[in-house]
Amino acid sequence: MAEYQLPPDGIAALVDSPVTPSFSLDPTRRWGLLISQPSAPPIEEIAREECKLAGTRLDPALWTPSHLSFGHDPTLRQLISDDGDTPIPVGTLRDVPIEGLPVGHGVRYTSWRPSGGALAFVVRPEKASEQLELWWAVLDTSGDQPRCMASQVPLGGRTLQSVHGRPHQWTPDGRLMVKLVPSGHPSAPPTKPLRPSGPAVQEVDGSSKKPARTYQDLLKDQHDEDTFSYFTAAELVLLELDGAHWGAPRTVGPPEGALLVKFQPSPDNSCVLASVLDPDEYSYQVPLSRFGRSLEIWPMPGDLGGASCRTVLRRIPVQDSVPKGFDARPTGPRQPSWHPCHPATLIWVEAVDQGDPEGPASPEGFRDVLITRSAPWAEPKEKVIFGMATKWAGWWFTEHGVGLIKERRWKDRHEVAWRLDADLTRTKLWERCSQESYSDPGYPEEVTNARRQWVLQCASPGTAEPVVYFMGDGASPNGDRPFVDCRPLAPGAEVTRVWRCAAGPRGPEHTAEDPALEVGRKAVGSEERRECYEQPWYVLGSQHDKLLLRRESNRTPPNFVILNLGTGLEVPVTDFRHPQPQLVDTKTELIRYTRADGVQLSAQLYLPAGYDPQKDGPRPC
């Protein structure tokens, strides 16, 4: 039998070179998590069986999306001292490996406890394992040397339900919610019948003639529907710590399980927002994201109503006739989530023009509206808090409930940003073309509040008048120069530039920088120019006087440094090596040549470092 052939050693070394570890911060922004990543998946993983259903591809043995990659050797690194302000240079303290994991393990879906100090993750015990496990690790800093011990979360041998993403989520008060395959679920998916029980009937009444998009891997018949339901069924359970050990799982929602695709615990830990598919609202025309579903509230175990109680807030029909066009939207609630400034208030956006940008708007001139709804859930009391003349493009809120709302129209790239006060007073902040990259204000930064919800990061958190940190790509005639601004949420207010990526060396076609866009409105000096590219990741420190920057250049891989904005002092916190050092200092040339038949062609020619045609001979033809 023929075998796979291998390329020359030099090419194989490039392909198999180690990948830079992933890097993320804990909620306190004092510790970093580094996870080594595989360079390339083995053939055995690529060849695994996969099911293609409803626009998704899943691994039927692991109950996950197909071809998932798993990291290994997770390690913690302290970046900021316990005082919350002093950066720690890389190498000063010993990294803290997560101990106790199985040999040959794989790690996926890591998530920090909202208060920090612990994290949960999915483990594949061995590369060939067909059963995933839920583990957690606790950081102990009480001794001379910090340690982080991992242990398996007991689930009674039940299977994690990861088909539609991460199977677990922390509640704001530090409990774990986990999706499992329901108890008593059949051990194997439905068998495809030798012959269909009947034709696959699709009815078209001709009342609406609209162009439709095409999608891959859609449902085709009743067997596909049954198989999709089999792999979507999930039971949601709640786990609480009893001392240092997890208690027995308690069911949240229907005990028999449901076709659960998303869940989110409320900020006050009293209930869960669940998105549940309706099997009568499947479609052979659109993927899972447009299937009919219901938005439901499931109380936590022990709360009023009992775990089996469920309140259906809205039923959303299948969205198989959405008008074509980038400004078209499905009807019904979109992006439902918990309002970060209230104990248990839902907020979502909804089209009031039937989702058709060419159709009439509402009598008030709106096409999208923001809606909130709070307990008691059995009473359908919905409140419109904001209306938009175009289409919703994002919402954010400060700790004091001041909202930043963006709307956008794709057709002419029109964008408007609004301030929404707690009394529902609206103020226009800016109006621009979303394609004008040079004037792009960037995106607002967020931090977690006392309810462990994401809110806007403000320069002065204790004041009611918000000044929000914005980060952007900083497009300019000389290329991108990312920036950090302090932007008051007030029309016409002065924006303070806090930081901007260093300007590059002057070239033959260099355009002079505008001093008004520089920090302190100063012209760029020759000593300030550097041949590197920097991106801001986080604003750090109790006084918001530090930035975590990602820096790279043509010769050096991306690494992270903490910059003190006041003193200019830089502290490196990672030292990732170049994954392919043999490519450093290589040069490229654009060559043009004529093929034998007279066709003009061009190609990129890569030349090794130090290539000298006089010594090394002519370039290859």
Side-chain angles (χ1 to χ4, degrees), residues 99-175:
E99 305 174 55
L101 292 171
V103 177
H105 67 271
V107 172
R108 180 85 184 189
Y109 295 131
T110 56
S111 63
W112 285 93
R113 184 168 61 189
S115 59
L119 63 160
F121 44 90
V122 172
V123 169
R124 192 176 185 182
E126 298 177 358
K127 291 183 178 180
S129 298
E130 298 291 330
Q131 178 87 13
L132 300 182
E133 301 170 352
L134 183 63
W135 285 59
W136 81 306
V138 181
L139 177 62
D140 181 8
T141 59
S142 60
D144 295 336
Q145 294 290 340
R147 297 191 66 184
C148 189
M149 297 299 299
S151 60
Q152 186 176 353
V153 177
L155 298 173
R158 297 178 62 181
T159 301
L160 291 173
Q161 166 54 288
S162 310
V163 167
H164 299 299
R166 175 183 295 162
H168 63 280
Q169 187 169 338
W170 292 95
T171 63
D173 60 358
R175 297 180 286 178

Side-chain angles (χ1 to χ4, degrees), residues 42-273:
I43 295 295
E44 309 87 71
E45 285 296 317
I46 299 300
R48 288 180 64 91
E49 179 187 359
E50 66 176 356
C51 290
K52 302 177 181 180
L53 298 166
T56 64
R57 299 185 179 188
L58 60 96
D59 187 317
L62 292 177
W63 288 74
T64 67
S66 61
H67 307 320
L68 277 188
S69 63
F70 288 79
H72 57 91
D73 299 323
T75 302
L76 300 180
R77 176 177 297 172
Q78 190 169 4
L79 310 180
I80 303 287
S81 64
D82 294 337
D83 63 12
D85 282 308
T86 306
I88 301 175
V90 59
T92 303
L93 299 178
R94 181 179 64 86
D95 287 347
V96 183
I98 296 182
E99 305 174 55
L101 292 171
V103 177
H105 67 271
V107 172
R108 180 85 184 189
Y109 295 131
T110 56
S111 63
W112 285 93
R113 184 168 61 189
S115 59
L119 63 160
F121 44 90
V122 172
V123 169
R124 192 176 185 182
E126 298 177 358
K127 291 183 178 180
S129 298
E130 298 291 330
Q131 178 87 13
L132 300 182
E133 301 170 352
L134 183 63
W135 285 59
W136 81 306
V138 181
L139 177 62
D140 181 8
T141 59
S142 60
D144 295 336
Q145 294 290 340
R147 297 191 66 184
C148 189
M149 297 299 299
S151 60
Q152 186 176 353
V153 177
L155 298 173
R158 297 178 62 181
T159 301
L160 291 173
Q161 166 54 288
S162 310
V163 167
H164 299 299
R166 175 183 295 162
H168 63 280
Q169 187 169 338
W170 292 95
T171 63
D173 60 358
R175 297 180 286 178
L176 265 178
M177 304 197 74
V178 187
K179 277 199 308 181
L180 302 174
V181 175
S183 298
H185 202 56
S187 59
T191 303
K192 188 174 182 64
L194 296 178
R195 67 177 183 86
S197 58
V201 178
Q202 300 182 54
E203 182 178 350
V204 178
D205 60 11
S207 60
S208 59
K209 298 181 179 180
K210 297 179 180 179
R213 294 184 174 92
T214 57
Y215 302 92
Q216 291 182 323
D217 307 326
L218 300 178
L219 300 180
K220 299 181 291 296
D221 51 35
Q222 185 61 48
H223 175 259
D224 280 358
E225 291 189 46
D226 295 340
T227 305
F228 178 74
S229 295
Y230 173 86
F231 283 111
T232 301
E235 179 184 346
L236 187 62
V237 300
L238 178 69
L239 296 116
E240 300 186 53
L241 278 173
D242 183 8
H245 304 283
W246 292 100
R250 294 192 292 165
T251 299
V252 180
E256 69 278 8
L259 300 177
L260 179 65
V261 287
K262 292 182 181 179
F263 67 97
Q264 185 182 5
S266 63
D268 65 353
N269 309 287
S270 65
C271 54
V272 177
L273 171 65

Side-chain angles (χ1 to χ4, degrees), residues 483-494:
F483 63 85
V484 179
D485 285 345
C486 278
R487 178 177 291 272
L489 294 188
E494 182 178 0

Side-chain angles (χ1 to χ4, degrees), residues 367-378:
R367 293 194 174 273
D368 270 355
V369 293
L370 288 184
I371 297 175
T372 60
R373 180 169 173 176
S374 305
W377 304 111

